Amino acid sequence: MRARLVPAVIGGAPAFAFVAIFIAWGGIALTNLIAGTALIVLFGVFADVARRRGRAIEPAIIEKMCGLPTTVTLRHRDPTYDAATKSGFHAFIARKLGEAAPSSDEETADPEAADAFYERGTAWLRENTRNRKKFDILFNENVDYGFRRNLLGLKRPAFLINAVVILVCIGIFWYRWPVDLANSFDARLLVVILIALIHAAYLALFVTEQGVFEASRSYARQLLLSTRSPHLNKDSKRGPAAPKTSRKRVSRPITEQGA
């Protein structure tokens, strides 16, 4: 809900506010039902558009970061983690995939093959950390990334909606001229215009690619740190199984007490 519906609500806030002014909240009428239905439909449409737009801009975001943050972080040449910590990540992935991790020289000689190994490793991690209860911090970081990505994807459509809403409100004011702010409808129209302007300022100042970059790096960090989770290291913590010994039944002579 936070990753898909909330960006939709924020992105379409001026449109929702505009529809809401046609609802008479004090009673039930046909216009109320129509406007209320339109509002619910808008929520659903915007939630779908938010996810689609987020996915659409994701390749460009990944390209600007020179690859997926997890892949970038696992590269030997990346300075995010020290060599010992990074070696631990590589060893864990190599153990789970059943193949050797690329060395620094091998990565330099064939960076594409090295990235392919890192991507397979992070894909394994994603598939094995989907339990929300066991990996709740990771889940929350993923949701935060989805929220920022989807909201950024809605930035341009939201600017367009702001412009349309403001123009429509101005057109209504022109039709109803002179404006009477004592009239509740005119006052609500003015409030919608103010919401659209504040909304546009919020989008311009706070919905940025840098925010998406930060969220993606936080998620990548938490995903790699999950390699230290006891939920993924149960087998490695178990000692070697004790050899099974067959017990031979020894026949005992029957004594008087045993009889």
Side-chain angles (χ1 to χ4, degrees):
M1 181 175 290
R2 184 187 168 200
R4 300 179 187 178
L5 184 58
V6 175
V9 173
I10 295 175
F16 301 143
F18 180 76
V19 173
I21 67 175
F22 294 96
I23 301 177
W25 299 100
I28 299 176
L30 180 61
T31 55
N32 292 6
L33 293 175
I34 294 174
T37 302
L39 199 61
I40 294 173
V41 171
L42 280 175
F43 278 130
V45 169
F46 268 72
D48 181 64
V49 172
R51 189 164 186 265
R52 289 174 180 268
R53 288 295 305 161
R55 287 182 173 272
I57 67 170
E58 195 169 47
I61 292 174
I62 294 173
E63 184 178 357
K64 290 182 179 180
M65 292 189 294
C66 300
L68 291 168
T70 44
T71 301
V72 173
T73 305
L74 285 171
R75 292 169 182 164
H76 287 280
R77 59 187 181 276
D78 183 79
T80 303
Y81 292 101
D82 58 86
T85 302
K86 191 170 297 185
S87 177
F89 295 153
H90 290 175
F92 178 91
I93 293 173
R95 185 168 63 252
K96 295 301 181 181
L97 296 182
E99 54 183 294
S103 65
S104 179
D105 292 337
E106 290 172 339
E107 180 183 294
T108 303
D110 194 349
E112 292 183 1
D115 283 354
F117 172 85
Y118 303 144
E119 289 170 8
R120 290 194 298 274
T122 53
W124 186 95
L125 284 173
R126 285 194 299 271
E127 289 300 320
N128 288 274
T129 54
R130 293 189 181 278
N131 190 308
R132 299 181 183 181
K133 293 182 179 179
K134 293 180 179 179
F135 302 95
D136 58 326
I137 298 177
L138 177 64
F139 174 76
N140 290 329
E141 292 290 358
N142 191 24
V143 169
D144 186 52
Y145 167 73
F147 167 80
R148 296 193 191 190
R149 182 202 66 182
N150 294 344
L151 187 56
L152 181 64
L154 285 177
K155 187 173 183 176
R156 289 184 180 181
F159 275 133
L160 179 61
I161 290 173
N162 283 335
V164 171
V165 168
I166 290 174
L167 289 175
V168 170
C169 289
I170 291 175
I172 294 175
F173 274 139
W174 179 80
Y175 179 77
R176 292 169 57 87
W177 194 265
V179 177
D180 182 11
L181 294 181
N183 182 291
S184 62
F185 183 79
D186 287 356
R188 283 183 286 179
L189 274 179
L190 182 61
V191 170
V192 170
I193 293 177
L194 291 176
I195 289 174
L197 292 174
I198 295 172
H199 185 258
Y202 166 76
L203 293 174
L205 296 175
F206 298 103
V207 182
T208 62
E209 287 184 344
Q210 188 59 39
V212 180
F213 295 163
E214 292 174 0
S216 64
R217 293 189 185 104
S218 296
Y219 170 74
R221 177 181 180 275
Q222 198 60 43
L223 182 63
L224 292 177
L225 289 178
S226 68
T227 58
R228 301 178 177 179
S229 169
H231 301 296
L232 297 181
N233 290 278
K234 291 181 179 180
D235 295 336
S236 60
K237 287 188 176 183
R238 294 175 183 173
K244 295 181 179 180
T245 57
S246 58
R247 295 183 178 179
K248 294 182 179 181
R249 190 172 182 180
V250 181
S251 59
R252 297 180 180 178
I254 300 176
T255 62
E256 291 182 358
Q257 292 179 351

